[in-house]
């Protein structure tokens, strides 16, 4: 036992010493089945091996329950009611906004399930070898911002857990300057939450299905419990159902459209990077269940939020949309016990959302950009340290609403990326893709010497440019008077962005096709894997038999 510990310690010490030099961070050069000779690759970017295709329709259900069950979904109706609409419009916007989002989720999800390649690789078919990196950077930046916000939200849930056990935790004296934007007590909660979240984030994606199911059970039971408890305290569900309209006419119509687009745009990241997850599916049928899962989860959680908030008005004299602020009102032995379980549920919820929507996506992006130095494990470490500490999320949360408006507007850039990827696969290439060519710098998907598909560039600009004046005005309200009718385009930024890019890319590709990229049948990547495996078996002197190929990888080493 002592010898094993000593050997382990010496190995760690030797590894740490090696990493004092840049060369010590270079990953072992794996022999890629599809990439160019001499280029760096790793299993995270290759076609997903058979033994990693472990996801089923049930896993997809758990995935969406994991992603959609978060504090932001609970509070979604609040932003709709705040602009002068009622619960009726909130319900309509949630349902149709979610349904709109399922269009790119299914289109791009099928791509991942059939080709078994991650988002950064899939983008090369439509954007070109080099321009695809632009799309990857946009998505990576968005994921980092949202990871920062979700992590800080999780730390507020941790505060409720701790204060439920030790009420004096809230009275910790502050020793941090006010200019930093966070108190000592909040920093302690943030550190504890991040420390618990960190090892869970390091779990390989193909092994996450049980965590998703665990989150679904815990958060669902807690949400139902909160609604029952608040209705019992209030003697009913309150009077929010009697609210009257505060806006009428055309203004109300535009607000409904804007709210629906905001719901759709809230899932812009997932609609773009869904191949990162569907690549692990055994069968593509699991993708179609998203059409049911997302609207249903969003609607249920939104209704829970409306009912508990309405009851809170009766009990506490004000509408409280934030479930953690609501739990903070509960004192006494039974109240603190309830606050603990609410805090625990939202801690699990925020970790699950970070896993499914932010960290793994960002890590995949880093891996594609720097395969020589970064695998998924290293990407996760870099992403969570950057988002949780370097980006100071407490300042993002407490900064002006203009910054949050800008972050919401990042969906403006993600909509055309998702649209172009979907249009290219379904309309232009008619679902036939040369998968091995996606891994070669000078194959058919390079398009030209610049490695850029000009049709994707034009479609991207057609989608984004009309939205820019409205986006600028949302960040700086002083610009409202100077943008005229263009603000209405931004009111439906995701719907316009996705539709315009999808149509324009399809039309441009029809009239100005790139013949070299159009093939009659899909060339799968699995054939290259099998060929490589057979070659390696012959080199080893083995006959192969009927055993499953085991892919050797250092993808989860640091």
């Amino acid at each position: 036992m002592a010898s094993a510990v000593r050997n382990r310690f010496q190995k760690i010490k030797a590894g740490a010493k090696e990493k004092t030099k840049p060369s010590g961070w270079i990953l072992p050069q794996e022999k890629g089945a599809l990439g160019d000779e001499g280029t760096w690759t790793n299993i995270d970017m290759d076609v997903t091996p058979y033994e990693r295709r472990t996801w089923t329709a049930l896993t997809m259900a758990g995935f969406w329950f994991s992603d959609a069950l978060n504090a932001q979904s609970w509070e979604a109706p609040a932003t709709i009611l705040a602009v002068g609409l009622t619960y009726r419009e909130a319900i309509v916007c949630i349902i149709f906004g979610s349904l709109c989002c399922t269009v790119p989720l299914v289109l791009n999800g099928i791509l991942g399930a059939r080709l078994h390649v991650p988002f950064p690789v899939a983008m090369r078919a439509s954007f070109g070898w080099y321009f695809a990196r632009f799309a990857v950077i946009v998505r990576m930046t968005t994921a980092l911002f949202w990871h920062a916000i979700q992590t800080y939200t999780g730390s507020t849930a941790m505060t409720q857990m701790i204060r439920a056990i030790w009420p004096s935790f809230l009275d910790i004296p502050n020793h941090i300057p006010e200019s930093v934007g966070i108190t000592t007590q909040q920093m302690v909660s943030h550190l504890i939450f991040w420390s618990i979240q960190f090892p869970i984030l390091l779990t390989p994606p193909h092994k996450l299905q049980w965590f998703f199911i665990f989150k679904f059970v815990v958060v669902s039971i807690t949400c139902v419990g909160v609604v029952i408890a608040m209705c019992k305290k209030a003697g009913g569900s309150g009077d929010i159902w009697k609210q009257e309209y505060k806006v009428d006419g055309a203004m109300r119509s535009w607000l409904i459209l804007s709210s629906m687009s905001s719901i759709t745009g809230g899932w812009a990241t997932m609609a773009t990077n869904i191949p990162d997850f569907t690549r692990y599916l055994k069968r593509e049928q699991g993708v179609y269940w998203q059409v049911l899962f997302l609207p249903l989860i969003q609607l249920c959680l939104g209704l829970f939020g409306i009912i508990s908030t309405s009851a809170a008005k009766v009990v506490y004299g004000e509408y409280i949309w934030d479930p953690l602020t609501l739990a903070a009102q509960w004192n006494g032995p039974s109240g603190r016990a309830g606050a603990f379980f609410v805090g625990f549920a939202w801690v699990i919820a925020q970790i699950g959302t970070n896993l499914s929507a932010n960290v793994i996506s960002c890590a995949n992006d880093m891996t594609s950009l720097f395969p020589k130095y970064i695998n998924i494990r290293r990407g996760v470490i870099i992403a969570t340290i950057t988002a949780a500490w370097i980006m100071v999320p407490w300042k993002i949360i407490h900064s002006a609403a203009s910054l949050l408006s800008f972050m919401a507007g990042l969906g403006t850039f993600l909509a055309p990326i998702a649209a172009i990827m979907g249009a290219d696969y379904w309309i232009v290439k008619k679902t036939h893709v040369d998968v091995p060519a996606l891994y070669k710098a000078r194959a058919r998907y390079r398009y030209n010497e610049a490695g850029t598909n000009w049709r994707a560039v034009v479609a991207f600009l057609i989608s984004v440019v009309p939205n820019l004046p409205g986006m600028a005005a949302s960040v700086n309200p002083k610009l409202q008077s100077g943008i005229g009718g263009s603000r209405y385009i931004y009111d439906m930024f995701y719907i316009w962005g996705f539709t315009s890019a999808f149509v324009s890319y399809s039309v441009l590709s029809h009239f100005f096709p790139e013949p070299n990229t159009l093939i009659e049948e899909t060339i799968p990547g699995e054939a290259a894997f099998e060929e490589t495996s057979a070659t390696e078996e012959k080199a080893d002197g083995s006959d192969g038999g009927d055993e499953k190929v085991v892919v050797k990888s250092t993808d989860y080493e640091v």
Side-chain angles (χ1 to χ4, degrees):
M1 179 66 178
S3 176
V5 172
R6 186 162 49 252
N7 290 338
R8 179 64 176 168
F9 178 76
Q10 289 174 350
K11 185 178 180 181
I12 293 174
K13 185 178 179 181
K17 184 177 180 180
E18 198 172 302
K19 286 180 172 57
T20 57
K21 300 175 292 184
S23 59
W25 289 95
I26 297 176
L27 293 166
Q29 187 171 8
E30 298 180 17
K31 182 177 176 58
L34 304 175
D36 293 318
E37 190 69 30
T39 58
W40 247 263
T41 185
N42 55 61
I43 197 172
D44 300 321
M45 284 296 103
D46 279 341
V47 175
T48 307
Y50 290 110
E51 67 270 19
R52 290 192 169 198
R53 300 176 192 177
T54 58
W55 285 30
T56 63
L58 181 62
T59 312
M60 285 302 295
F63 169 81
W64 276 110
F65 276 107
S66 176
D67 193 21
L69 290 176
N70 56 52
Q72 283 71 27
S73 295
W74 181 283
E75 297 174 46
T79 56
I80 300 174
L81 270 65
V83 297
L85 300 176
T86 70
Y87 77 92
R88 299 178 189 84
E89 285 76 26
I91 292 173
V92 169
C93 289
I94 288 172
I95 293 174
F96 286 97
S98 301
L99 283 173
C100 286
C101 192
T102 61
V103 173
L105 282 171
V106 170
L107 293 179
N108 298 328
I110 290 291
L111 183 155
R114 289 180 180 176
L115 305 183
H116 299 285
V117 297
F119 162 79
V121 173
M123 285 306 304
R124 295 168 185 169
S126 54
F127 273 52
W129 182 263
Y130 288 121
F131 190 46
R133 297 181 184 181
F134 166 75
V136 168
I137 291 171
V138 170
R139 203 278 303 266
M140 183 175 69
T141 303
T142 308
L144 279 173
F145 267 110
W146 286 116
H147 179 36
I149 290 176
Q150 298 284 9
T151 297
Y152 189 72
T153 302
S155 71
T156 62
M158 181 59 65
T159 297
Q160 290 306 313
M161 289 181 63
I162 299 173
R163 76 95 186 172
I165 303 173
W166 299 287
S168 59
F169 177 70
L170 298 177
D171 301 324
I172 291 179
N174 181 39
H175 300 289
I176 299 177
E178 187 177 348
S179 59
V180 176
I182 190 172
T183 65
T184 300
Q185 176 259 306
Q186 291 169 333
M187 181 65 79
V188 171
S189 295
H190 187 67
L191 176 61
I192 293 174
F193 174 78
W194 183 82
S195 300
I196 293 172
Q197 175 181 250
F198 183 68
I200 300 175
L201 296 181
L202 295 176
T203 306
H206 61 286
K207 296 181 180 180
L208 287 172
Q209 48 189 329
W210 290 110
F211 180 82
F212 293 154
I213 294 171
F214 173 69
K215 173 181 171 178
F216 161 61
V217 173
V218 170
V219 179
S220 297
I221 292 174
T222 302
C223 289
V224 172
V226 168
V227 171
I228 293 174
M230 289 307 302
C231 288
K232 184 177 180 181
K233 284 176 177 286
S237 59
D239 61 356
I240 203 169
W241 320 104
K242 300 176 183 177
Q243 279 189 342
E244 299 293 334
Y245 295 115
K246 296 180 181 177
V247 290
D248 292 298
M251 176 63 73
R252 191 171 84 185
S253 300
W254 280 109
L255 285 174
I256 292 173
L257 191 59
S258 174
S259 299
M260 189 174 73
S261 188
S262 294
I263 294 292
T264 305
W267 298 103
T269 303
M270 282 306 308
T272 306
N273 68 255
I274 191 64
D276 284 339
F277 298 95
T278 56
R279 64 186 290 208
Y280 297 106
L281 279 168
K282 293 179 181 178
R283 290 177 290 274
E284 68 179 62
Q285 283 76 12
V287 175
Y288 298 108
W289 283 99
Q290 296 177 111
V291 179
L292 173 65
F293 293 149
L294 180 58
L296 179 63
I297 298 166
Q298 283 279 91
L299 178 60
C300 289
L301 208 59
L303 285 173
F304 287 162
I306 292 172
I307 293 170
S308 61
T309 299
S310 181
K313 179 70 160 60
V314 177
V315 179
Y316 304 112
E318 60 178 323
Y319 292 121
I320 302 176
W321 287 98
D322 184 350
L324 297 170
T325 302
L326 185 63
Q329 313 299 316
W330 302 345
N331 295 299
S334 60
R336 296 212 314 272
F340 175 86
F341 285 111
V342 169
F344 176 73
W346 291 116
V347 162
I348 299 300
Q350 298 308 111
I351 293 175
T353 299
N354 273 329
L355 271 170
S356 55
N358 303 319
V359 176
I360 292 175
S361 305
C362 187
N364 269 316
D365 295 339
M366 292 183 187
T367 300
S368 73
L369 295 173
F370 310 104
K372 188 174 181 178
Y373 296 96
I374 299 177
N375 53 23
I376 280 190
R377 189 181 184 89
R378 288 183 181 180
V380 167
I381 293 171
I382 293 170
T384 193
I385 291 176
T386 301
W389 301 104
I390 298 175
M391 294 177 69
V392 286
W394 46 90
K395 285 200 171 184
I396 295 177
I397 292 289
H398 296 298
S399 63
S402 59
L403 180 57
L404 295 177
S405 298
F406 167 74
M407 291 176 57
L410 287 175
T412 298
F413 300 95
L414 293 174
I417 293 174
I420 292 168
M421 180 164 58
D424 182 75
Y425 182 69
W426 291 94
I427 306 299
V428 178
K429 295 185 171 59
K430 296 179 170 55
T431 73
H432 300 314
V433 176
D434 181 354
V435 176
L438 294 172
Y439 291 86
K440 301 183 185 299
R442 295 210 167 261
R444 67 177 79 241
Y445 299 123
R446 186 181 179 88
Y447 286 93
N448 50 43
E449 282 302 310
T452 300
N453 180 4
W454 65 267
R455 303 156 197 80
V457 176
V458 173
F460 185 86
L461 293 175
I462 289 174
S463 169
V464 170
V465 171
N467 267 319
L468 293 180
M471 181 180 176
S474 72
V475 175
N476 183 3
K478 294 180 180 178
L479 300 176
Q480 283 283 359
S481 58
I483 64 172
S486 61
R487 69 179 183 274
Y488 295 118
I489 297 179
Y490 188 69
D491 282 342
M492 50 179 183
F493 72 93
Y494 195 89
I495 298 172
W496 159 263
F498 184 88
T499 305
S500 60
F502 192 97
V503 172
S504 58
Y505 181 80
S506 299
V507 170
L508 286 170
S509 298
H510 176 76
F511 288 104
F512 306 98
E514 181 66 34
N516 190 41
T517 65
L518 305 178
I519 58 179
E520 294 296 325
E521 296 292 337
T522 294
I523 303 175
E526 288 85 348
F529 268 122
E530 292 164 1
E531 184 180 334
T532 302
S533 300
T535 303
E536 289 175 352
E537 285 171 356
K538 288 180 180 179
D540 292 340
S542 61
D543 60 3
D546 295 325
E547 295 180 5
K548 290 181 70 175
V549 177
V550 177
V551 180
K552 297 178 180 179
S553 171
T554 54
D555 61 329
Y556 289 101
E557 291 182 1
V558 177

